[in-house]
Amino acid sequence: DADVTQTPRNRITKTGKRIMLECSQTKGHDRMYWYRQDPGLGLRLIYYSFDVKDINKGEISDGYSVSRQAQAKFSLSLESAIPNQTALYFCATSDISGTSYNEQFFGPGTRLTVL
Amino acid sequence: AQSVTQPDIHITVSEGASLELRCNYSYGATPYLFWYVQSPGQGLQLLLKYFSGDTLVQGIKGFEAEFKRSQSSFNLRKPSVHWSDAAEYFCAVGAIGAGSYQLTFGKGTKLSVIP
């Protein structure tokens, strides 16, 4: 079974709709992240969470919100989707212990299209 | 703040030829450095990482990378490319220190392999 899962894998929606992307992990990591990937721009950080009570904005948080429901679950919401939020979205996790410090483990991605 | 530059957007090599993908970083201290690979339609998979010690690191799939502090570089190499190596490659730099959390990604280099 995959360590980091994302649902849905693909989603097409219309402008103005509310969308939630979900991420679950079985790695037992405290830190979770949401990124978006656009062609030619690499990955950009949207939000990150160090634990259930700690949520932080990343580079491009405008238009997005998140919820850390449990250590293993981190959801990303688009309150009112717009076409320029069409992108590939990745969830990632990391652990601060030992030699894995800062190494991030990625989910398979959610491809979101906003019409 | 750290930054990463991958100068080559797209590289094409023949199968069996050697490969070098360039990565230059900017960070005020010793960085954590990573190379990830993203195959078409897939998430990101870690190829290798550098934290400290030997500056030549070995990764999966026959890849290696060399950390050169004087050049602020962490170039990825493979002596003989296989068709299955066609993918997009991302270099990333992470900050060190208590509370540090962020990986900064380059914009990626797309590798095409000619049979």
Side-chain angles (χ1 to χ4, degrees):
Chain A
D1 290 337
D3 293 329
V4 184
T5 57
Q6 294 183 232
T7 55
R9 293 293 311 277
N10 289 282
R11 182 71 183 269
I12 299 173
T13 191
K14 295 182 179 180
T15 298
K17 294 292 186 181
R18 184 178 188 275
I19 295 297
M20 179 179 287
L21 309 183
E22 298 184 334
C23 177
S24 295
Q25 54 113 345
T26 59
K27 300 187 76 65
H29 290 170
D30 287 325
R31 298 183 175 190
M32 298 186 73
Y33 312 81
W34 276 105
Y35 292 90
R36 66 175 280 174
Q37 182 183 29
D38 299 277
L41 296 181
L43 277 77
R44 293 181 291 167
L45 183 64
I46 306 172
Y47 271 95
Y48 63 99
S49 170
F50 281 1
D51 61 40
V52 174
K53 298 180 181 180
D54 183 81
I55 303 288
N56 303 279
K57 293 182 178 180
E59 179 186 355
I60 53 164
S61 59
D62 287 350
Y64 301 95
S65 63
V66 291
S67 173
R68 185 81 184 267
Q69 300 94 326
Q71 186 206 35
K73 296 183 181 296
F74 193 36
S75 300
L76 176 72
S77 293
L78 288 67
E79 297 301 324
S80 180
I82 56 177
N84 76 0
Q85 291 177 313
T86 293
L88 186 55
Y89 289 85
F90 286 105
C91 175
T93 72
S94 71
D95 184 14
I96 63 172
S97 64
T99 59
S100 295
Y101 194 76
N102 264 346
E103 175 182 344
Q104 294 186 11
F105 298 83
F106 285 82
T110 294
R111 184 166 297 281
L112 177 66
T113 302
V114 183
L115 301 176
Chain B
Q2 63 264 39
S3 65
V4 176
T5 302
Q6 293 181 247
D8 303 305
I9 297 173
H10 191 184
I11 286 181
T12 300
V13 300
S14 297
E15 191 169 18
S18 63
L19 172 69
E20 182 170 32
L21 302 182
R22 295 183 292 165
C23 173
N24 293 99
Y25 69 90
S26 173
Y27 183 59
T30 301
Y32 287 166
L33 293 162
F34 306 84
W35 274 100
Y36 285 86
V37 61
Q38 183 182 24
S39 298
Q42 303 297 313
L44 277 75
Q45 180 183 21
L46 181 70
L47 282 176
L48 46 78
K49 58 192 177 188
Y50 171 77
F51 291 158
S52 64
D54 192 346
T55 57
L56 183 63
V57 293
Q58 302 296 322
I60 62 172
K61 305 184 180 185
F63 285 91
E64 67 178 26
E66 185 172 13
F67 171 59
K68 293 185 177 180
R69 183 189 303 276
S70 62
Q71 299 178 17
S72 297
S73 68
F74 188 57
N75 294 347
L76 182 71
R77 300 193 295 248
K78 187 170 185 179
S80 179
V81 170
H82 188 263
W83 64 267
S84 61
D85 294 324
E88 191 159 19
Y89 293 79
F90 293 93
C91 181
V93 60
I96 296 176
S100 65
Y101 67 92
Q102 189 170 349
L103 286 186
T104 300
F105 287 85
K107 295 183 178 181
T109 298
K110 183 177 181 180
L111 174 66
S112 296
V113 180
I114 300 172

